[in-house]
Amino acid sequence: SSVMDPEPIVRRNPPGTKAEDFYKWPAQSFDEMDTTLAVQQHIQQTIRQDFTDTETILTVPPGQDEGVWKYEQLRQFCLELNGLAIKLQTECTPLTCSQMTATEQWIFLCAAHKTPQGCPAIDYTRHTLDGAACLLNSNKYFPSRVSIKDSSVAKLGSVCRRVYRIFSHAYYHHRHIFDESENETYLCRRFTTFVIRYNLMSRDNLIVPIMDDASNTSNNNSVDQ
Amino acid sequence: KSPYSMPGILHFIQHEWSRFEMERAQWDVEKAELQARIAFLQGERKGQENLKRDLIRRIKMLEFALKQERAKVHKLKFGTDLSVEQKHNESNGKCDFPSTSKTNELQTTNAHMSWRHGRQLLRQYLQEVGYSETILDVRSQRVRALLGNNYDAPKPVENDNQVVNGNISDEEKQSNTDGNTESIFKDFNFLNAEDNDNEDDEDLDWSVDQNKLNAMKEQFRQEKRQTKKKELKRKGSEMSRATEEVDIHIPDEGDCYESIENALGLGALAGLTYNQKQQKTSLNTQVLNLQQLIFKIWLSVTEFSTMDFQIAATKESYRKTWNPKYTLRSHFDGIRAIRFLPNESAVITASEDHTMKLWNLNKPLPSKKTQSLDVEPIYSFRGHSGAVLSLEVDADGSYCFSGGLDASVRVWSIPSVEIDAYDTYDPAVIQKVLVGHTDAVWSLSYSSTRQQLLSASSDCSVRLWNPTSNDPLIQTYTTEGIPTSVCFVQCDSNHAVVSHTDGKINLYDLETGQISLVLAEGDGSKYIDCSVNCVASHPTMPITMTAHDDKHIKFFDNSSGKLIHSMVAHLDSVTSLSVDPNGLYLLSGSHDCSIRLWNLDSKTCIQELTSHRKKFDESIYSVAFHPSATYIASAGADALAKIFV
């Protein structure tokens, strides 16, 4: 053909790339992605385009298996929670928070040990994130990135429940860290929307009030059991 | 009274009709099933045909390889070592050489016979040499299974490293008898049968492959040393004289000769693999032409290059094949760097998920199978607020250094490899944050002699740090262009090599801060894939190795600045290099999803491993040798790290 073919787009971040240029290539439509990591690529791409657009980020592409979608979304949440964990590391010590609590009623025991342990909040946070990483990457429960067994999908709920406690502890005990992190990432409201939409957690456990989200105003008044 | 009644008849007819309908439905189902089965079997059969064809092709290629090597060695050296000849005679009862007179007869009277004869001899040579015993065994078994013959797989023979060449002694010629030859022919009947049956097919195959061959020829031309090139050229002209006597039907012979002359790889690779033993002269030379051709094609076939294959390094003191052993699963995003701890079976990985993790390979997850074990991390280093891009470990494994997208360089104290994965948080692990860079830190290099750290950042600077001091920044070197990789020169820690996105490679004098030598000018304007992704320094020789976006690995001399060698190493951008601590091997990783192990003496690839899947267009970011143990590691965009033993 007489028309010159455009240069193929190579989507790489090679050594030497500046931080502002990281991932700055043209978006690829989900249908064109042919790697096994397509769902992760798509989710990350959508977040980069606008991290405040929770709805678009959580919208499953047509034809995409929902189990895999939930799994990859949860992976991304755990990845981004690292940011909150790092901020907490500076301030949340065994002296300030000797146990993992949110509001007064509950003390959460860390499930990462053989018998549940009353870890200090910072240990609970780290262990929960590390434990989630092990479970979500485990060859036994999640051997593939393109298909999830139903029995493994059931595990996602317990990961969500434990991971949510990091949000609630940060909200109630390290409010400024929570606010700073939330403004940068919109992570908690996206997570809340996510677990409600896919029924991964009971609404009673969603104790962090979400601003700007009318459907969650009822949570402000819920009584903690 | 009649036995029939109207209702009875109607009932009977209805009953029969419904029975027929049912049977018809059954027949339809059966027919569909059988059709499906036929389709499946046809497909299977087609697959088997293809497999058989490929295997036969490979057998021929192996034979040619050996022939070519025979010719080369024969030309290089003359004179025979009699003791080896005799030993060689005794050790392998099958390797009786027909007399040269008989050979000449064959040549002149029956070209086809000499062809088969030659192939049979090659078979013997392959056995004697013990060339790729594993390959031979596997291939011959597969062929045997396919063809259903009782051909015995060749037994591996002890490798001598002696170089023997030249004419067969008179004694040996006389000792060969027709009877022996006959029996030998019978043994190799299956090969001959293949010839007869597939004569036409072969011709077709060769012509079809020619296109691929041409494409791959280009690639191969760039790969090998200049000296080998000249040797082959000389040999090629000698051999072309010999072949004229024989009518061997190979298409495009002349064309292939030229390519073979330029195909330096043949000589180098063959030199690595074959033992130098005595050879016949005239018969072998003809046969060697064919061997050259087919070996070239063999090496060109893409599928071969994407398989794991091992070539016996007979010149090495030991033969090592790396196999995958551990898979490290825990990161949520691509792993940009991987490093071993110097005195432990442990690694640290640095990932785009903002964390680094420590793994103890002695504590894999319990598993029924022993081939591939999964490992979970024992510690997660949290501190970077962006992707972690680079990693280094100090000489005794007590500290590690990381560089990130957040422009920080961090010093960490490495916890003991025996800690419990869910231990209490110890903030002392975070030792220091080295502030100075203003953009992503892509590369780190640690010098144990100086106890100093170099970092290269896309803010166009390279910085020298003393990590333990209170005022760690020693010096900042501004680079011309964006640096991609920095490395202390291992045998001279006063110098460091820096590579850039425009292809520039500079040698810096760290005392003066000046560029002491330019290894490569950099062609930033000329082509898009000019970037150099990684530099590595040889542990004992003043040589720098560089990994390029244009698929090459290049070798530079640090004293003269000259390019020693350049080779096309991968099918895509080469991203990472690692030299083994003894300076004998080089490990390279590429976005073509493969890691390759290179022999640094011969600059040839001795193993290729396919590893890691792609995320967008990236796959392998980092490869590493263990400084003291036999481990190699690869890290990829699929968030996995793999350890091979």
Side-chain angles (χ1 to χ4, degrees), chain A residues 56-122:
Chain A
T56 309
I57 295 168
L58 293 177
T59 304
V60 55
Q64 171 60 40
D65 173 271
E66 201 174 88
V68 173
W69 181 251
K70 292 189 276 194
Y71 168 74
E72 290 287 343
Q73 286 282 353
L74 190 51
R75 282 180 70 104
Q76 184 63 22
F77 280 119
C78 292
L79 195 164
E80 292 191 55
L81 260 167
N82 212 59
L84 183 54
I86 290 168
K87 292 186 162 81
L88 285 173
Q89 254 171 207
T90 57
E91 202 183 87
C92 183
T93 70
L95 292 174
T96 63
C97 308
S98 59
Q99 288 165 323
M100 186 62 169
T101 59
T103 54
E104 290 77 31
Q105 276 90 339
W106 290 101
I107 295 174
F108 301 111
L109 299 181
C110 180
H113 312 268
K114 291 192 189 69
T115 57
Q117 231 171 276
C119 287
I122 189 61

Side-chain angles (χ1 to χ4, degrees), chain B residues 105 133 154 210 357 363 518:
Chain B
E105 271 181 312
E133 300 147 7
Q210 210 50 30
K357 293 188 191 250
K363 295 184 180 167
V518 175

Side-chain angles (χ1 to χ4, degrees), chain B residues 200-334:
Chain B
D200 295 335
D201 289 345
E202 286 162 13
D203 292 347
L204 289 171
D205 288 349
W206 292 134
S207 52
V208 165
D209 274 341
Q210 210 50 30
N211 292 327
K212 243 199 219 169
L213 169 63
N214 289 331
M216 289 301 169
K217 266 191 229 173
E218 288 307 310
Q219 188 178 343
F220 243 91
R221 270 188 195 119
Q222 308 162 32
E223 266 185 73
K224 305 300 173 179
R225 263 181 274 186
Q226 298 299 320
T227 53
K228 294 278 181 191
K229 186 176 180 173
K230 284 176 197 152
E231 269 178 26
L232 275 168
K233 194 157 190 161
R234 192 169 33 88
K235 267 181 268 167
S237 55
E238 288 174 32
M239 280 187 280
S240 62
R241 276 180 267 122
T243 28
E244 276 149 28
E245 308 166 33
V246 180
D247 176 28
I248 297 175
H249 189 5
I250 295 291
D252 291 339
E253 207 174 67
D255 191 23
C256 282
Y257 259 118
E258 203 188 0
S259 69
I260 287 160
E261 287 166 8
N262 295 333
L264 316 169
L266 276 181
L269 198 55
L272 178 65
T273 61
Y274 298 107
N275 231 334
Q276 325 281 356
K277 300 245 172 159
Q278 61 189 77
Q279 306 177 35
K280 292 199 63 80
T281 53
S282 47
L283 173 69
N284 288 348
T285 52
Q286 310 149 27
V287 148
L288 278 157
N289 305 325
L290 301 168
Q291 178 200 10
Q292 263 191 341
L293 161 64
I294 294 189
F295 188 59
K296 179 72 169 68
I297 298 169
W298 171 52
L299 288 172
S300 309
V301 172
T302 327
E303 58 191 69
F304 220 95
S305 69
T306 58
M307 271 170 45
D308 285 11
F309 74 97
Q310 318 134 26
I311 298 180
T314 59
K315 284 184 184 159
E316 306 304 324
S317 54
Y318 70 101
R319 195 177 311 157
K320 176 98 185 94
T321 307
W322 296 87
N323 300 301
K325 182 81 185 275
Y326 302 102
T327 304
L328 277 47
R329 302 170 192 271
S330 190
H331 280 294
F332 287 118
D333 213 339

Side-chain angles (χ1 to χ4, degrees), chain B residues 539-552:
Chain B
T540 51
M541 299 200 280
I543 293 178
T544 297
M545 291 149 281
T546 55
H548 295 249
D549 247 358
D550 63 6
K551 313 172 194 169
H552 285 74

Side-chain angles (χ1 to χ4, degrees), chain B residues 447-479:
Chain B
S447 162
S448 41
T449 41
R450 295 173 73 113
Q451 306 229 315
Q452 290 175 352
L453 182 71
L454 274 174
S455 62
S457 159
S458 48
D459 64 4
C460 298
S461 73
V462 170
R463 286 169 197 254
L464 182 64
W465 312 83
N466 179 347
T468 52
S469 129
N470 287 331
D471 187 17
L473 179 61
I474 301 173
Q475 202 169 352
T476 305
Y477 312 96
T478 310
T479 55

